Amino acid sequence: MDGHMFGNTMWAGHWLWMLVLAIIAVIPVWRICQRTGYPGWLGVLILIPVINLALLYFLAFSEWPADKTGDRNG
């Protein structure tokens, strides 16, 4: 025993699974940001705890640039 209670729990598939989940979370938010008129890269912020809540509130309650231009297709 090398002092770890659960042994080595970080297997290679874990990182692949985390990447898949991150992609599943980012893609819809990326599209929402684009459709509201904001840059799509803001969708990456959904991966950062607490910042993700701020992003959702920002998108929900701010004036969207797409509303001003009439472009809603992204």
Side-chain angles (χ1 to χ4, degrees):
M1 288 250 207
D2 55 325
H4 294 192
M5 187 172 179
F6 297 109
N8 187 7
T9 60
M10 299 300 276
W11 50 283
H14 172 341
W15 297 110
L16 180 62
W17 183 242
M18 294 301 287
L19 179 63
V20 168
L21 290 178
I23 291 170
I24 289 172
V26 168
I27 289 175
V29 181
W30 188 290
R31 292 290 296 146
I32 289 170
C33 289
Q34 286 180 332
R35 287 180 180 232
T36 58
Y38 292 108
W41 60 263
L42 283 176
V44 176
L45 296 177
I46 204 70
L47 298 176
I48 304 170
V50 180
I51 301 297
N52 56 9
L53 293 174
L55 175 65
L56 291 176
Y57 273 87
F58 173 74
L59 290 174
F61 297 110
S62 68
E63 293 289 327
W64 296 346
D67 282 346
K68 295 175 186 170
T69 63
D71 178 29
R72 288 192 163 229
N73 293 328

